[in-house]
């Protein structure tokens, strides 16, 4: 009996054993294939980064080598600089550098990209590179040479010693012997040197991108936690809430804010509110569930408008609409002397089950209301002259004057034209002084 059982089971067990070995071998091969593919991608991204940094240095040199009045070559060179920095940034993102100190180099490349792009897109026949910008290019040329040389040294070590990027990833993940890894040490050296570079004059358009909003921009004395809590409770008097807490945020006095959190007594979500240091409401968010749609978009607009009026905001017009998960997100802007003031916009979220306002964002409004910069709201061009800059096949449905912030962070007066082209909706902003297209936005139908 046992002999018969053994005769039956032995080949079955043998078959299972062979199958397990084959399966394990295949799994091992697949794992090695994945690791090899990842290593190849890392190596390609690293060598491409080194190559493009060297190209960036050469391109900056060529841009500086031409005559200072050669607008065409300056534009071409700056476009190439922007392209190369964008490629270098993309390659950095493909490397396992998340936990490595390489942020200063990434920030440096980001600023070069923005500087070159903003200089290249303007009309250089009217606004050529000035002395400060040429001086900045010379500094970038010298700095990019240093970065390129340092990366080439790391690249040489990688090739000479057959180093693997997978070892870098493993070292970072395990947090073991991180300081002994040649590649990590090389990137640390590059980043430390970039951090020691003297301050560069990037110009106002680039600096404005990286400038942080400070409470110094806002008027009024600092509010206490109790004052902020009292304001929040007054705002929330229509709700039954519990566990109300106030927390002060920010280590720097220039960026301090308050956050008020509370729970709805009915258990349907939580409430969060952010205030400036002076006690001005920046945002409000109610997380309650909205599982159906019972009201129209017009009803949502009325509800949002009544909310703004109730909380003493000036008369505003809705300019953008978007519905997600039974919630309508509305953007409002004030209208001053017939001009739609987009920098002073704010957003209101309305639940489409009962019209309740469940969200509010007023940060842009607060900081731009505090901005005392004067902008001329009188157009040089007429609406008819500006309309001639549009595609003749565009069917315009409405138009008005708008103040917007363009891609170089300047406030510009534009004619806003909304219409359709080939059944697709667009908003086109034509500079009311120069006739140039400042911005084009698709509009969902």
């Amino acid at each position: 009996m046992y002999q018969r059982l053994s005769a039956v089971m032995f080949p079955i067990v043998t078959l299972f054993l062979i199958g397990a070995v084959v399966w394990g071998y295949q799994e091992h091969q697949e794992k090695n294939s994945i690791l090899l593919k990842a290593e190849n991608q890392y190596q390609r991204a690293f060598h491409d980064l080194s190559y493009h940094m060297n190209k960036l240095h050469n391109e900056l040199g060529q841009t500086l080598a031409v005559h200072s009045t050669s607008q065409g070559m300056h534009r071409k060179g700056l476009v190439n600089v922007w392209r190369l920095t964008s490629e270098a940034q993309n390659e950095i993102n493909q490397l396992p550098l998340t936990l490595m100190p390489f942020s200063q180099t990434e920030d440096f490349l980001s600023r070069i990209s923005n500087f070159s792009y903003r200089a290249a897109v303007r009309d250089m026949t009217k606004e050529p590179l000035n002395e400060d910008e040429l001086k900045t290019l010379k500094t970038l040329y010298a700095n990019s040479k240093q970065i390129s040389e340092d990366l080439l040294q790391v690249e040489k070590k990688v090739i000479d010693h057959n180093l693997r990027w997978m070892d870098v990833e493993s070292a970072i993940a395990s947090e073991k012997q991180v300081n002994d890894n040649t590649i990590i040490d090389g990137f640390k050296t590059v980043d430390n040197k970039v951090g020691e570079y003297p301050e560069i004059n990037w110009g106002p358009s680039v600096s404005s991108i990286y400038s942080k909003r400070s409470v110094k921009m806002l008027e009024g004395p600092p509010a206490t936690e109790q004052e902020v809590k009292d304001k929040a409770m007054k705002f929330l008097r229509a709700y039954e809430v519990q566990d109300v807490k106030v927390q002060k945020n920010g280590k720097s006095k220039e960026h301090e804010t308050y956050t008020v959190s509370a729970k709805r007594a009915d258990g349907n979500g939580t409430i969060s509110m952010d205030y400036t240091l002076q006690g001005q409401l920046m945002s409000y968010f109610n997380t309650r569930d909205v599982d159906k749609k019972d009201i129209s978009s017009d009803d949502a607009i009325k509800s949002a408008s009544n909310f703004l009026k109730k909380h003493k905001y000036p008369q505003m017009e809705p300019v953008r609409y978007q519905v997600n998960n039974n919630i309508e997100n509305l953007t409002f802007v004030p209208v001053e002397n017939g001009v739609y003031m987009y920098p002073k916009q704010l957003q209101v979220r309305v639940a489409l089950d009962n019209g309740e306002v469940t969200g509010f964002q007023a940060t842009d409004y607060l900081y731009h209301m505090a901005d005392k910069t004067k902008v001329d709201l009188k157009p040089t061009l007429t609406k008819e002259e500006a309309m001639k800059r549009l595609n003749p096949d565009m069917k315009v449905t409405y138009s008005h004057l708008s103040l917007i912030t363009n891609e170089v962070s300047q406030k510009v007066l534009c004619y806003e034209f909304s219409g359709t082209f080939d059944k697709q909706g667009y908003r086109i902003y034509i500079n009311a002084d120069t006739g140039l297209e400042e911005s084009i936005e698709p509009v969902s139908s």
Side-chain angles (χ1 to χ4, degrees), residues 302-347:
K302 290 178 183 177
S303 176
S305 298
N306 290 335
F307 170 87
L308 295 177
K309 183 178 180 181
K310 175 183 176 181
H311 292 284
K312 311 300 181 185
Y313 288 94
Q315 179 65 36
M316 292 192 173
E317 292 293 326
V319 293
R320 292 189 177 93
Y321 322 84
Q322 186 178 21
V323 177
N324 288 310
N325 299 321
N326 299 318
I327 293 176
E328 181 141 3
N329 298 281
L330 299 157
T331 299
F332 286 80
V333 300
V335 181
E336 300 176 8
N337 299 320
V339 179
Y340 284 61
M341 309 295 287
Y342 278 89
K344 298 178 183 179
Q345 64 182 279
L346 49 77
Q347 288 79 37

Side-chain angles (χ1 to χ4, degrees), residues 178-425:
V178 173
N179 295 326
D180 298 330
N181 188 284
T182 302
I183 297 177
I184 294 176
D185 290 344
F187 273 78
K188 280 184 178 180
T189 300
V190 174
D191 204 54
N192 289 335
K193 287 184 179 180
V194 172
E196 295 171 357
Y197 290 160
E199 186 65 31
I200 296 175
N201 178 13
W202 297 101
S205 64
V206 175
S207 297
S208 64
I209 299 173
Y210 300 92
S211 62
K212 296 181 179 179
R213 289 167 167 170
S214 166
V215 297
K216 291 181 178 179
M217 299 171 62
L218 304 174
E219 297 179 353
T224 65
E225 289 189 13
Q226 187 59 48
E227 288 172 335
V228 170
K229 185 176 181 179
D230 291 342
K231 287 186 176 185
M233 294 304 296
K234 184 178 179 180
F235 183 92
L236 297 172
R237 58 189 172 190
Y239 305 96
E240 290 187 21
V241 295
Q242 57 192 22
D243 296 337
V244 180
K245 298 177 182 177
V246 182
Q247 178 180 329
K248 200 171 188 179
N249 310 308
K251 297 180 181 179
S252 168
K253 290 186 177 181
E254 291 193 8
H255 308 292
E256 287 179 328
T257 60
Y258 289 103
T259 295
V260 179
S261 59
K263 295 180 180 178
R264 291 174 61 113
D266 59 9
N268 188 9
T270 59
I271 293 174
S272 177
M273 305 170 70
D274 288 326
Y275 285 85
T276 68
L277 184 65
Q278 293 84 354
Q280 299 160 304
L281 180 62
M282 299 168 65
S283 66
Y284 156 71
F285 189 65
N286 185 337
T287 65
R288 80 168 179 84
D289 295 329
V290 183
D291 54 9
K292 60 181 179 178
K293 178 181 177 180
D294 289 334
I295 67 171
S296 66
S297 180
D298 288 340
D299 292 332
I301 293 173
K302 290 178 183 177
S303 176
S305 298
N306 290 335
F307 170 87
L308 295 177
K309 183 178 180 181
K310 175 183 176 181
H311 292 284
K312 311 300 181 185
Y313 288 94
Q315 179 65 36
M316 292 192 173
E317 292 293 326
V319 293
R320 292 189 177 93
Y321 322 84
Q322 186 178 21
V323 177
N324 288 310
N325 299 321
N326 299 318
I327 293 176
E328 181 141 3
N329 298 281
L330 299 157
T331 299
F332 286 80
V333 300
V335 181
E336 300 176 8
N337 299 320
V339 179
Y340 284 61
M341 309 295 287
Y342 278 89
K344 298 178 183 179
Q345 64 182 279
L346 49 77
Q347 288 79 37
V348 182
R349 289 163 34 101
V350 180
L352 295 178
D353 54 356
N354 62 6
E356 177 188 13
V357 172
T358 60
F360 174 70
Q361 177 60 252
T363 305
D364 286 336
Y365 175 81
L366 287 175
Y367 280 96
H368 281 93
M369 285 296 291
D371 186 359
K372 302 303 181 183
T373 304
K374 297 294 183 180
V375 180
D376 188 2
L377 299 181
K378 293 181 180 179
T380 301
L381 302 177
T382 65
K383 184 176 73 173
E384 290 71 24
E385 289 172 330
M387 190 175 292
K388 292 179 181 178
R389 308 300 177 100
L390 299 175
N391 188 315
D393 294 329
M394 180 174 177
K395 298 177 181 178
V396 177
T397 54
Y398 71 81
S399 64
H400 51 68
L401 285 169
S402 298
L403 186 72
I404 68 169
T405 303
N406 65 11
E407 60 185 6
V408 293
S409 304
Q410 296 173 331
K411 292 180 182 178
V412 290
L413 182 65
C414 295
Y415 283 101
E416 176 184 341
F417 295 101
S418 181
T420 59
F421 174 80
D422 194 26
K423 298 181 181 181
Q424 170 64 49

